[in-house]
Amino acid sequence: MVSFTLVKNMLGNEFDLQSDGFTFTSGYAELIQIAEYRNSDGELNSIRQVTPAIHRMARLRGRPPGTCDIPDILYDLHSFQDIYMNTGELRQPLRSLVLSESLYYKLAENLAVKNAKDFGFHERLPDFIDIAKESVTRIVWINWKPEDGENFIDLHKRIIGTLRRHLVHQWGKGNFAKPYSYFEPHQLDSATLYQNLEESSPPKRPIYRLRESATHLPLPAIIATIEEGSFLEIVASLTTMKYYPSKNGLASVANEIGVKKETLSEALDRTLARMTRIDKNVTPSKSIANIVEETKNGHVIKYASGKNVEHDNPRVDLIKLSEKSPESWLPNGLSERDKAILSLAVIMNSGTLAHTTEEIALKSGCSAVVVCRVIKKATKQR
């Protein structure tokens, strides 16, 4: 379980609600008054800056953020939102979120006891109290969207609605046989199998595969791994992490760029396979914002027939090299024929290869086998 203690530690051990003059209450009238006061106090301004980063970290980790996530939240702010903030400056909006969460703990306890008694689970009171507080935690840190215009009144209504009408539904069948209070925070320190390829096993949703493969990595290492991928791999990964704009995840992006959803899903898995082997200390060469912007101007490489070029075709890597270093992508020591082959191999017209292997061979005065060999050798040299 993600406890209040874990989240409170984001602010340091010196943070104390009682000494902060904070009011503990379970009265609906008092709670709505506090929400109205906080709306008028301008407190939302600092929260709106950081919640997008917090939500992306929560999505990646599969839980509300804790102390260990602060460096990644700051990196997200700097690298994607262009907001320069240090740990001390981050303290105030985090404190506001902690106060928002703890404000409803007393009410959560009261309604949890009522639910446990009403549904015949009196002996599981501690578990019901924990799951009620967990619901409040997830609403505050994950489901509440101040960056989309929601305020403390919206937060109040959402928490009240969940605690009054939906609390018992959070008590799933899987919780009946074990004490919810003893659940450990879901934090991975190593990668796990990102996809079960057995035919009888349905594929996991992209975000779950991402969590299992990348949760143990710091955000810069994750971005560095994504940066080294092909266009489709970058798009699939950034979409899953909510950096690349999409209306409906991989499905809508696949439609926009003209590929099947399964093609993007496979591209994501190739990135995740690399993440299970990546060095935790590796860092990207560009900011997240720059990678996203460059990707928006990217394209799916196609043959003249309209078919997508295979992801493992050496020409894909060659084109990426030529785009990354336009002035110095050709290896040293090449013959004039090899230079001509490589120059023809990277020419595209609106995302379509301008020349087939056979055409390059004809123009260069050699066989198609030689053309393939020269291209493959050049990509390995770089």
Side-chain angles (χ1 to χ4, degrees):
M1 172 187 172
V2 179
S3 66
F4 172 58
T5 302
L6 171 66
V7 180
K8 184 176 70 172
N9 283 341
M10 295 178 72
L11 304 180
N13 295 327
E14 75 279 6
F15 181 75
D16 181 61
L17 289 174
Q18 295 285 11
S19 64
D20 218 41
F22 186 71
T23 302
F24 290 90
T25 180
S26 60
Y28 293 108
E30 290 178 295
L31 288 169
I32 195 68
Q33 286 176 0
I34 293 173
E36 290 172 348
Y37 171 77
R38 296 181 75 185
N39 271 345
S40 62
D41 197 36
E43 193 175 356
L44 279 166
N45 293 334
S46 62
I47 294 179
R48 285 184 172 128
Q49 279 192 313
V50 303
T51 46
I54 289 172
H55 293 154
R56 283 187 286 269
M57 286 308 100
R59 178 176 176 79
L60 175 63
R61 309 300 183 200
R63 54 172 172 74
T67 308
C68 60
D69 301 301
I70 287 182
D72 285 344
I73 292 173
L74 290 172
Y75 178 77
D76 179 292
L77 289 172
H78 298 170
S79 187
F80 185 59
Q81 297 180 228
D82 199 27
I83 297 174
Y84 289 87
M85 186 178 290
N86 58 39
T87 305
E89 292 169 322
L90 184 61
R91 177 185 172 89
Q92 181 56 40
L94 292 182
R95 172 187 174 278
S96 295
L97 289 168
V98 170
L99 291 175
S100 301
E101 175 188 348
S102 57
L103 174 63
Y104 288 89
Y105 270 14
K106 187 65 178 177
L107 179 65
E109 291 177 1
N110 291 348
L111 293 181
V113 171
K114 183 179 186 304
N115 270 261
K117 291 180 177 179
D118 288 349
F119 291 92
F121 291 103
H122 188 274
E123 73 281 2
R124 305 298 292 272
L125 282 179
D127 296 321
F128 265 80
I129 290 173
D130 277 350
I131 209 166
K133 290 183 177 180
E134 169 78 352
S135 296
V136 171
T137 299
R138 288 190 170 274
I139 290 171
V140 171
W141 293 87
I142 298 176
N143 302 121
W144 183 43
K145 306 291 184 182
E147 68 273 23
D148 292 340
E150 295 184 359
N151 57 30
F152 289 110
I153 300 295
D154 298 312
L155 174 64
H156 171 84
K157 291 178 180 178
R158 188 168 296 177
I159 292 176
I160 296 297
T162 298
L163 292 179
R164 292 182 67 179
R165 294 186 291 275
H166 305 297
L167 179 59
V168 71
H169 300 301
Q170 308 291 328
W171 185 254
K173 294 180 180 178
N175 295 326
F176 284 138
K178 46 190 170 183
Y180 189 85
S181 306
Y182 298 163
F183 285 3
E184 294 295 329
H186 183 64
Q187 298 185 37
L188 299 180
D189 55 12
S190 62
T192 59
L193 184 66
Y194 61 87
Q195 181 69 289
N196 188 342
L197 299 179
E198 294 179 6
E199 291 184 5
S200 60
S201 176
K204 295 181 181 178
R205 289 176 56 193
I207 186 59
Y208 296 134
R209 283 140 56 192
L210 175 64
R211 288 173 187 169
E212 292 180 349
S213 301
T215 301
H216 66 296
L217 293 171
L219 184 57
I222 294 173
I223 299 301
T225 309
I226 293 172
E227 181 187 20
E228 292 304 313
S230 66
F231 169 72
L232 288 179
E233 291 167 2
I234 294 174
V235 168
S237 303
L238 293 178
T239 300
T240 304
M241 295 182 72
K242 294 297 184 183
Y243 287 118
Y244 192 90
S246 67
K247 295 180 180 179
N248 187 28
L250 295 185
S252 59
V253 172
N255 184 61
E256 289 173 9
I257 61 179
V259 299
K260 295 180 180 179
K261 179 183 176 183
E262 291 76 14
T263 301
L264 276 186
S265 183
E266 292 169 0
L268 173 66
D269 283 345
R270 292 195 295 273
T271 304
L272 300 185
R274 294 198 301 274
M275 285 185 188
T276 61
R277 305 185 297 267
I278 195 69
D279 182 352
K280 291 185 178 182
N281 297 316
V282 68
T283 57
S285 64
K286 303 183 185 73
S287 70
I288 300 174
N290 285 341
I291 296 172
V292 172
E293 193 59 34
E294 290 179 5
T295 305
K296 288 180 182 178
N297 299 321
H299 44 254
V300 180
I301 303 174
K302 296 179 178 291
Y303 293 108
S305 65
K307 180 183 176 183
N308 294 341
V309 176
E310 300 84 355
H311 72 88
D312 55 354
N313 188 317
R315 288 181 73 173
V316 174
D317 293 330
L318 191 69
I319 290 168
K320 188 174 180 181
L321 282 172
S322 69
E323 292 175 340
K324 189 174 183 180
S325 306
E327 303 299 326
S328 59
W329 67 276
L330 286 172
N332 296 323
L334 291 176
S335 66
E336 291 304 314
R337 185 200 66 181
D338 290 355
K339 288 181 180 178
I341 289 173
L342 296 179
S343 297
L344 290 169
V346 298
I347 298 175
M348 291 190 296
N349 296 322
S350 301
T352 300
L353 294 177
H355 306 290
T356 65
T357 302
E358 291 73 19
E359 289 171 344
I360 296 174
L362 184 62
K363 289 177 179 290
S364 305
C366 62
S367 68
V369 173
V370 172
V371 170
C372 292
R373 187 185 303 142
V374 171
I375 293 174
K376 190 172 183 180
K377 183 178 179 181
T379 57
K380 286 185 176 181
Q381 285 179 323
R382 303 299 296 210

